[in-house]
């Protein structure tokens, strides 16, 4: 349904997206995962035809986004990061306006507006001015806007931002309900969100695709990761320390950074289980005649886990 | 066509659900009403004075409302409009740029010209309402004095055409920014420049003088206020408007490439 081929987008000297390729099949829900400024929004904007690619091509339903933009725009529903609403219109007249410019036939207008409001549970505020609604409601109006013409393809940029927990669950269920009948790309930086709604995840960082995987595989990888942090001094050879640490069974990787001010080395070690590995690590450090200043274990927060994953996957690719 | 109508409706709702349109129409009516009052009273006094002196009877015959009331009034209205139009158009695009709704418009199956015309016609509609309200002055003139209809119609046509030209520039400058004030100031600057362009003709010679005066936006208004329709002046305003709208479209199109 969506074919992104070697897509590159530069803003002046800055490359926001570099040589990205991926496919989304019909009826699939794909999560676009990445930290802020990873290039998620830029990629989505190119798919929707809002921006032109610097290089590469994007095809939606067989139409080239750049060459046949009109055809593509007809079948895409798009929710940008900030819901594109007019504060001085009422919810109903806003949705009617959107349905009109999206090309919904006049006789279906009311029906599709009501349906979109029902799906997003905003019928009770239909007559209110959008400017007077809370952020959560505005977000849902934005979502209703993307659904109003019943598009084949939905591009949702962080659809659950600004919603309260119950609303988040509602929106996730709504998105899950779109599976099979719609093709969905949604972006997020919240990991559980993808595992709950998406059938496939594309991980993007600094404009590059780092991994494509199913959420199940992804969470499995995350769940087993823990870190041990060490602060040591008296290190004469970084590489040797690195070797010593990585030679321990159970250690996945180690990052060593030198701190100029207090002449210490900080090592972040990714392990399977900190409980099993900590004693051996401590022994090795002592045996190497290094001074151990601090040793702490931490379970990865989701954000850290994500960054780890980003780093390890980069390492894998290089090998 | 339907898309233009959708955009037009939406803009009209926005205009009249915010205080902007009401404010502009009110300010316009107060100012133009004052100018009308001044012109009318001055004319009445002058007529009385001339009528009291039999030796001026020849001049009395030459006095007429179209020449001495309507003509200065339409010039004054032009100045008022020059000030007000950038404020009428300033939010049209800049607000969309700021609110992120431009992303909705540009990812919808709309042609660029459909957006441009929808918005332009909406601003023209508000402008036409302003002009329509000022028809009150004409009723007063017509009911208390004798006046030829010719100059009235051409003056109105002139005001309508000059308004279109102003609006097109206002629309254009609004696409360039997220900030309404920037849009208004820039629009006003460009319009004022075209307004005073003709003044430079006095200091230049030959071709340059001709060029400056034929580019000047006021120079072309003269014939309308005299009650004469000249094709050249109509074409000037229409092409001015067209260029303004074309620039608006080009600027919209370029959002794809900048950021």
């Amino acid at each position: 349904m969506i074919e992104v081929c070697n897509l590159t987008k530069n803003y002046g000297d800055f490359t926001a997206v570099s040589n990205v390729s991926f496919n989304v099949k019909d009826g699939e829900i794909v999560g676009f995962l990445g930290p802020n400024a990873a290039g998620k929004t830029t990629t989505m904007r190119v798919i929707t035809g809002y921006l032109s690619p610097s290089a590469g091509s994007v095809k939606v339903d067989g139409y080239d986004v750049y060459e046949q933009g009109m055809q593509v725009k007809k079948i895409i529903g798009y929710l940008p990061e900030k819901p594109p609403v007019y504060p001085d219109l009422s919810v109903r007249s806003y949705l009617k306006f959107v349905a009109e410019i999206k090309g919904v036939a006049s006789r279906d207008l009311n029906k599709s507006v009501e349906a979109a409001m029902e799906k997003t549970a905003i019928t009770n505020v239909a007559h209110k001015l959008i400017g007077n609604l809370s952020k959560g409601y505005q977000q849902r109006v934005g979502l209703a806007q993307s659904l109003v013409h019943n598009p084949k393809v939905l591009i949702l940029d962080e659809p659950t931002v600004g919603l309260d927990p119950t609303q988040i669950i509602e929106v996730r269920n709504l998105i899950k309900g779109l599976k099979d009948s719609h093709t969905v790309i949604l972006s997020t930086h919240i990991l559980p969100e993808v595992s709950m709604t998406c059938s496939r995840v594309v991980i993007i960082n600094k404009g590059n695709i780092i991994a494509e995987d199913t959420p199940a595989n992804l969470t499995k990888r995350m769940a087993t990761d823990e870190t041990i942090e060490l602060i040591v001094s008296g290190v004469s050879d970084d590489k040797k320390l690195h070797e010593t640490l990585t030679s321990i069974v159970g250690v996945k990787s180690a990052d060593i950074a030198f701190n100029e001010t207090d002449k210490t080395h900080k090592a972040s070690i990714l392990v399977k289980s900190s409980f099993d590995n900590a004693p051996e690590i401590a022994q090795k450090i002592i045996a190497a005649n290094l001074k151990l200043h601090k040793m702490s274990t931490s379970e990865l927060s989701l954000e850290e886990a994500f960054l780890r994953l980003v780093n390890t996957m980069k390492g894998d690719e290089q090998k | 066509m339907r898309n233009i109508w959708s955009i037009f409706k939406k803009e009209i709702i926005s205009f009249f659900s915010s205080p902007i349109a009401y404010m502009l129409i009110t300010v316009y009516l107060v100012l133009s009403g004052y100018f009308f009052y001044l012109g009318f009273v001055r004319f009445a006094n002058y007529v009385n004075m001339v009528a009291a002196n039999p030796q001026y009877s020849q001049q009395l015959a030459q006095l007429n409302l179209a020449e001495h009331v309507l003509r200065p009034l339409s010039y004054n209205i032009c100045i008022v409009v020059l000030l007000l139009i950038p404020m009428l158009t300033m939010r049209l695009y800049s607000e969309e740029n700021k609110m992120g709704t431009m992303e909705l418009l540009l990812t919808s199956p709309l042609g660029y010209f459909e957006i441009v015309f929808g918005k332009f016609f909406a601003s023209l509609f508000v402008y036409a309402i302003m002009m329509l309200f000022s028809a009150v002055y004409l009723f007063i003139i017509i009911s208390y004095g004798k006046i030829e209809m010719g100059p009235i119609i051409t003056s109105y046509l002139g005001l309508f055409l000059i308004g279109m030209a102003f609006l097109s520039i206002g629309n254009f400058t609004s696409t360039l920014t997220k900030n309404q004030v920037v849009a208004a100031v820039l629009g006003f600057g460009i319009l004022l420049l075209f307004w005073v362009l003709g003044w430079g003709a006095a200091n230049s010679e030959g071709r340059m003088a001709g060029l400056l005066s034929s580019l000047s936006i006021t120079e072309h208004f003269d014939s309308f206020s005299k009650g004469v329709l000249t094709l050249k002046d109509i074409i000037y305003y229409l092409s001015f408007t067209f260029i303004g709208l074309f620039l608006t479209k080009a600027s919209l199109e370029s959002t794809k490439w900048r950021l």
Side-chain angles (χ1 to χ4, degrees):
Chain A
M1 196 57 160
I2 303 172
E3 295 160 53
V4 177
C5 194
N6 300 326
L7 172 67
T8 299
K9 176 73 189 175
N10 305 315
Y11 298 127
D13 289 339
F14 176 68
T15 304
V17 174
S18 105
N19 214 16
V20 159
S21 303
F22 62 91
N23 289 316
V24 181
K25 287 195 275 304
D26 218 339
E28 222 179 357
I29 300 183
V30 168
F32 229 43
L33 189 65
N36 290 326
K40 291 174 296 193
T41 299
T42 303
T43 309
M44 292 182 143
R45 281 179 164 173
V46 174
I47 297 174
T48 56
Y50 181 63
L51 291 178
S52 299
S54 306
S57 71
V58 177
K59 276 186 180 173
V60 178
D61 202 16
Y63 299 111
D64 187 278
V65 168
Y66 184 60
E67 304 280 340
Q68 296 147 302
M70 268 315 186
Q71 266 84 3
V72 174
K73 285 171 183 178
K74 274 181 198 157
I75 56 168
I76 283 188
Y78 175 40
L79 173 65
E81 222 167 336
K82 195 176 168 198
V85 293
Y86 297 101
D88 44 12
L89 295 188
S90 75
V91 172
R92 185 175 274 121
S93 54
Y94 168 68
L95 290 176
K96 239 183 213 172
F97 166 68
V98 177
E100 277 174 17
I101 61 170
K102 297 285 182 185
V104 175
S106 308
R107 60 178 185 288
D108 301 330
L109 216 58
N110 287 321
K111 214 170 59 193
S112 36
V113 168
E114 296 304 323
M117 288 199 294
E118 214 160 284
K119 272 186 203 160
T120 48
I122 51 172
T123 315
N124 56 330
V125 294
H127 59 278
K128 284 199 181 169
L129 292 186
I130 297 175
N132 296 338
L133 297 177
S134 68
K135 175 91 175 69
Y137 265 111
Q138 290 193 5
Q139 184 71 22
R140 284 199 266 172
V141 173
L143 200 58
Q145 163 274 129
S146 66
L147 293 167
V148 75
H149 54 303
N150 198 23
K152 281 190 199 169
V153 177
L154 268 169
I155 312 282
L156 309 173
D157 201 348
E158 314 220 337
T160 55
V161 162
L163 301 177
D164 66 35
T166 20
Q167 291 168 346
I168 289 181
I169 293 169
E170 280 167 23
V171 167
R172 282 178 190 158
N173 288 336
L174 172 68
I175 293 170
K176 267 190 263 180
L178 298 171
K179 197 174 188 276
D180 299 332
S181 57
H182 299 72
T183 306
V184 183
I185 297 184
L186 66 90
S187 80
T188 179
H189 52 257
I190 309 166
L191 289 173
E193 189 148 294
V194 278
S195 56
M196 273 177 252
T197 46
C198 303
S199 45
R200 205 151 53 86
V201 183
V202 175
I203 296 182
I204 183 166
N205 189 34
K206 289 182 187 154
N208 293 293
I209 288 189
I210 278 152
E212 277 187 66
D213 216 334
T214 60
N217 284 348
L218 214 79
T219 25
K220 208 161 59 187
R221 278 171 112 145
M222 305 280 186
T224 55
D225 286 349
E226 285 178 77
T227 44
I228 295 177
E229 276 194 358
L230 300 176
I231 294 180
V232 293
S233 62
V235 180
S236 52
D237 189 354
D238 285 13
K239 271 188 189 159
K240 211 174 155 194
L241 177 63
H242 189 261
E243 266 170 36
T244 319
L245 291 173
T246 44
S247 65
I248 299 167
V249 181
V251 170
K252 287 186 168 176
S253 70
D255 274 335
I256 293 165
F258 183 59
N259 185 340
E260 278 288 346
T261 47
D262 48 12
K263 309 279 181 218
T264 55
H265 282 79
K266 184 179 172 187
S268 305
I269 308 159
L270 196 67
V271 294
K272 259 209 171 104
S273 154
S274 55
F275 185 81
D276 293 344
N277 294 112
E280 202 185 340
I281 291 172
Q283 270 176 1
K284 285 266 163 92
I285 297 286
I286 304 296
N289 249 342
L290 303 175
K291 287 181 185 157
L292 181 59
H293 296 273
K294 189 184 168 194
M295 182 167 190
S296 60
T297 64
S298 67
E299 284 184 34
L300 291 180
S301 75
L302 284 170
E303 281 69 25
E304 284 172 320
F306 169 71
L307 285 175
R308 289 283 165 199
L309 186 73
V310 166
N311 289 334
T312 46
M313 282 178 177
K314 247 189 217 160
D316 290 349
E317 266 169 30
Q318 278 160 9
K319 278 173 207 164
Chain B
M1 244 356 247
R2 182 175 167 239
N3 289 335
I4 295 178
W5 175 239
S6 304
I7 302 264
F8 175 83
K9 268 191 307 188
K10 189 218 100 197
E11 290 303 332
I12 294 295
I13 296 174
S14 288
F15 268 125
F16 288 98
S17 58
S18 72
I20 295 179
Y22 303 104
M23 273 300 297
L24 288 172
I25 292 172
T26 310
V27 169
Y28 166 74
L29 288 178
V30 169
L31 288 173
S32 60
Y34 183 63
F35 283 127
F36 173 66
Y37 168 79
L38 284 185
F40 205 60
V41 167
R42 198 194 298 128
F43 181 73
N45 287 342
Y46 191 58
V47 169
N48 285 339
M49 198 185 79
V50 171
N53 279 336
Q55 75 242 48
Y56 292 137
S57 59
Q58 220 170 1
Q59 263 142 315
L60 186 63
Q62 282 166 6
L63 287 176
N64 80 65
L65 279 165
E67 178 69 20
H68 293 96
V69 178
L70 194 68
R71 203 167 157 211
L73 179 66
S74 54
Y75 261 104
N76 288 333
I77 285 181
C78 269
I79 296 173
V80 176
V81 158
L82 172 79
L83 292 166
L84 293 184
I85 278 186
M87 291 180 230
L88 176 69
T89 53
M90 65 182 182
R91 50 157 283 286
L92 279 171
Y93 294 89
S94 62
E95 191 69 2
E96 306 250 17
N97 288 335
K98 193 175 137 205
M99 300 295 291
T101 43
M102 195 48 99
E103 221 167 324
L104 169 66
L105 296 184
L106 294 183
T107 55
S108 296
L110 294 170
Y112 290 107
F113 267 126
E114 290 178 323
I115 301 174
V116 170
F117 278 118
K119 283 177 178 275
F120 173 71
F121 286 138
S123 58
L124 189 60
F125 182 77
V126 178
Y127 177 72
I129 291 177
M130 271 163 64
M131 289 299 121
L132 213 62
F133 273 121
S134 59
V136 175
Y137 314 139
L138 296 180
F139 282 116
I140 296 172
I141 293 184
I142 292 165
S143 44
Y144 290 97
K146 263 195 279 176
I147 187 165
E148 310 151 65
M149 284 314 279
I152 292 184
I153 294 167
T154 56
S155 294
Y156 253 91
L157 186 69
L159 280 175
F160 192 74
L161 287 170
I162 209 171
M164 274 171 57
F166 287 173
L167 286 167
S168 73
I169 293 298
N171 271 272
F172 167 59
T173 59
S174 185
T175 59
L176 300 174
T177 169
K178 287 182 181 177
N179 188 317
Q180 298 194 12
V181 176
V182 171
V185 170
L186 198 59
F188 179 67
I190 293 175
L191 293 180
L192 197 61
L193 189 68
F194 273 99
W195 187 280
V196 299
L197 216 52
W199 300 358
N203 308 332
S204 347
E205 287 165 13
R207 245 183 225 167
M208 195 60 190
L211 182 71
L212 285 177
S213 71
S214 57
L215 278 177
S216 160
I217 212 161
T218 39
E219 209 70 28
H220 296 270
F221 190 68
D222 213 35
S223 60
F224 292 102
S225 67
K226 279 181 192 154
V228 185
L229 278 186
T230 35
L231 191 62
K232 158 184 108 176
D233 298 329
I234 296 175
I235 287 175
Y236 170 81
Y237 286 123
L238 288 180
S239 47
F240 196 102
T241 309
F242 179 76
I243 290 169
L245 294 180
F246 186 78
L247 287 174
T248 313
K249 184 226 169 202
S251 166
L252 271 191
E253 223 166 3
S254 76
T255 38
K256 259 188 144 172
W257 306 97
R258 47 179 178 184
L259 274 175

